[in-house]
Amino acid sequence: MAETPQLSTRTPLLSVAPHEKTRSGNGSIIRIDEVPIQRYNVCTLSVMFILVTVFCERFAFFSVLHNMVLFCTSELDFTSFQATITCWIFTGTVYMVTPLIGGYIADSLCGRYKTILGSGFIFVIGKILLFFSAGDFKNWSGYDREDVRKALFLTSVVVITIGAGGIQANIIPFGAQHISHMGPRAVQTFCHWYYWARNLGSIASSSVVYLQQETHTFCWGYLMSMLILVAGLVILRVGQRTYKHVPPSESVLKKAITMCWNMRRKERDHFEVSQFETSNVYDINNVLKILPIYGFITVYWMSYAQMSTSLFLQSAELDLSIDGVNIPPAFLIYFNPVMVVLCIPLMDIIIYPLLIRSGKSPTYVQRIGIGMFLAVLALCYAGGLEMFRKQHDHFVQEGTNISYNASNMSVFHQVPVFSLLGLSEIWTSISGLEIACTHFPDYMQGLITGLFLMTIGLGSFYSLILTAIVQSAKPDWYPNDPAANGRMEVIFFIIAGITFVFTLIFVLVTRFGYTSTKEESKSRSIGPHNNLISENA
């Protein structure tokens, strides 16, 4: 049986391409370009059902996220700061807390398919509440109750957080398990097309933004996105008989706690650790090895989180008119998913296969580092754009029930920002997902995917903390009044600087912090699931 490559705790992570080496049956190392490249048919019926569901779910989610700041400020009388904080709490929770819970439920109790369906039902309930919070209470009931609308909105946000988080933690490993037998290259292809469907849903959600902008009401846009979500769940249910189901097993977290307690007792009583507990050690050890990498990714998501908040506010203060017709402030956000949708087929079909054949395919952590650096460039550009924006003439620009003190610079000057963030997402985010889907057994993938999604949530909370500090120390920096300019360029440069410093530390840690000798590697026993790739294994 093929031996699984190992990652010692001091292995140089930047030295090996993720698919450059495999171990043959006799223990020799062969290069992937010495093996005939297989054709990966990932468009099986079951995977197609799953990808369509991903599209519908992301359509419903981004139709809430991308216009949340505008909805809060124009309909619920939030300040820009309050709306930004609400958006970041929503994003942080939906990616940080609920995916871990959803992954635990799927891995240990219900299985992924049932957990996805149940989370989808919860998501639909949240969309219904959101529809009513955006409704015209004055025409419906004869009077307007802003307190009721705010209560409905906040309740809907909580319910949507639970539903969306449960789906995200499980739908990626649920799809990957259908083609995992075809090898890591097939899983990489699935992760690419998952991301393609995800961002296509984000682009399609622009129709909701346009509808809300043109009709000056939000409820019908939310209703349309809710119907799309229901259609996605129906499609997922139709494909039930085609799916490969992995039964739930004991939670890795529970095993870790039990193992630590038992080892403490055995150490006290001088007993040997059982083979079962030795197997658990490898599972837990693999999780611990991936935590530092995911820890650095959290800083990248702090930069990425600016799209729906700080960059949105910058869009509103640029000239939104095209031939006299104003486009929605959230329109520029869609250049990010457009870039992802255009580049993923190019990366998957042309660039990565060429790199693999030439033996120069970058490692997972090299790709993550490239993405983090691109995010730094994006925010530096945003800071420079903000400085130039203030030097131009200003005029009063009418938004949805709000007047902004806008520059006469076209909003399309923001295109490079969102394009760079889209490219960075391909390198950083997809690589993080591939690690979860290729380097861990099926019964752990829900947990690991939840940990990866948790990095997105932590990035949003980092943004929240930084913004709160800035608001406390320099209240005039953040434009709470739409007529104010603020000092947004300083905020952009601060976040870019933090991301750049952590990118350098990430490169140094992954380059020099994991060194080992062949003798040390040989002295380590091989675990059943210790399958992170290393050079010295």
Side-chain angles (χ1 to χ4, degrees), residues 402-443:
I402 297 180
S403 298
Y404 290 94
N405 182 28
S407 167
N408 61 4
M409 287 182 65
S410 172
V411 71
F412 287 98
H413 283 88
Q414 277 192 315
V415 169
V417 181
F418 294 102
S419 299
L420 284 170
L421 287 174
L423 287 173
S424 73
E425 192 177 359
I426 293 174
W427 288 101
T428 299
S429 185
I430 295 179
S431 300
L433 286 175
E434 286 179 42
I435 291 174
C437 294
T438 59
H439 289 153
F440 294 89
D442 285 343
Y443 63 83

Side-chain angles (χ1 to χ4, degrees), residues 79-146:
T79 66
S80 296
F81 176 73
Q82 290 171 337
T84 299
I85 293 299
T86 302
C87 186
W88 276 335
I89 291 176
F90 170 69
T91 307
T93 308
V94 81
Y95 285 113
M96 179 179 172
V97 180
T98 53
L100 282 177
I101 299 173
Y104 171 82
I105 292 173
D107 289 345
S108 307
L109 302 174
C110 301
R112 294 193 183 112
Y113 174 71
K114 292 182 179 178
T115 304
I116 292 171
L117 273 184
S119 299
F121 179 73
I122 295 172
F123 198 163
V124 170
I125 294 175
K127 295 289 287 186
I128 293 173
L129 293 174
L130 184 62
F131 166 77
F132 284 109
S133 73
D136 189 347
F137 273 51
K138 191 170 184 178
N139 288 334
W140 291 356
S141 60
Y143 58 93
D144 192 5
R145 290 292 303 275
E146 186 175 302

